[in-house]
Amino acid sequence: QVHLVESGGGLVQPGGSLRLSCAASGSIFSFNTMGWYRQAPGKERDLVAVITVGGSTNYADSVKGRFTISGENAKNTVYLQMNSLKPEDTAVYYCNANLRSSKTYSLVNYWGQGTQVTVSS
C-alpha cells in the first residue's frame, strides 16, 4: 500500500560524500515524520536523522555536523546529505516513514528495503 524507495548508496573513501534519497508513494493521507536509520552487522538498527512534516530535525550525536536531512513535501521525498564520511558510517541505511494511512486513517510505520553505504580505503 505504501512503498519507500531508497537510492544513492555506494562505496566511498573516508572523507567523501554521498546523498541518499527516499521517495514515498501509495495510500498516504498525511505524514508525521520521515527519517533515516542504519544497521551495521552485529549491531542494532539506530536512528541517524529524522525530519517532521513541519521541518524540525533531529540527529544522532555521531553524525551531527556531518549529515543533513531535508524534505521535499510536494514529492514525498526525504534526502540525507552525508559529508566527511568515516568507516564507522558503514551500514545498510533504511528509510522510515511514520504516516497516517488514507485507507485506515491510522498511524503506521513503513520501511524501505535499505541501501548499502560502505566507507573504506
Side-chain angles (χ1 to χ4, degrees):
Q1 294 182 347
V2 174
H3 301 278
L4 304 179
V5 180
E6 302 112 326
S7 62
L11 174 65
V12 66
Q13 294 184 344
S17 298
L18 287 173
R19 191 191 193 204
L20 306 183
S21 299
C22 175
S25 62
S27 302
I28 302 166
F29 182 79
S30 61
F31 286 89
N32 283 332
T33 65
M34 293 188 72
W36 291 95
Y37 293 71
R38 66 187 182 187
Q39 186 170 22
K43 296 185 177 180
E44 301 291 331
R45 184 177 297 187
D46 293 327
L47 174 70
V48 177
V50 64
I51 187 169
T52 70
V53 68
S56 298
T57 59
N58 191 35
Y59 298 90
D61 288 341
S62 59
V63 307
K64 286 182 178 178
R66 300 188 297 120
F67 292 9
T68 302
I69 189 170
S70 61
E72 193 170 352
N73 289 343
K75 294 185 177 181
N76 292 342
T77 300
V78 66
Y79 306 95
L80 185 68
Q81 179 66 47
M82 304 185 293
N83 299 325
S84 302
L85 283 162
K86 305 174 180 179
E88 63 198 47
D89 296 318
T90 295
V92 177
Y93 284 69
Y94 296 91
C95 179
N96 171 266
N98 181 260
L99 55 85
R100 191 174 298 277
S101 169
S102 62
K103 290 187 177 292
T104 68
Y105 301 101
S106 60
L107 290 171
V108 292
N109 275 326
Y110 288 94
W111 294 92
Q113 290 189 273
T115 184
Q116 177 71 48
V117 172
T118 302
V119 185
S120 176
S121 298

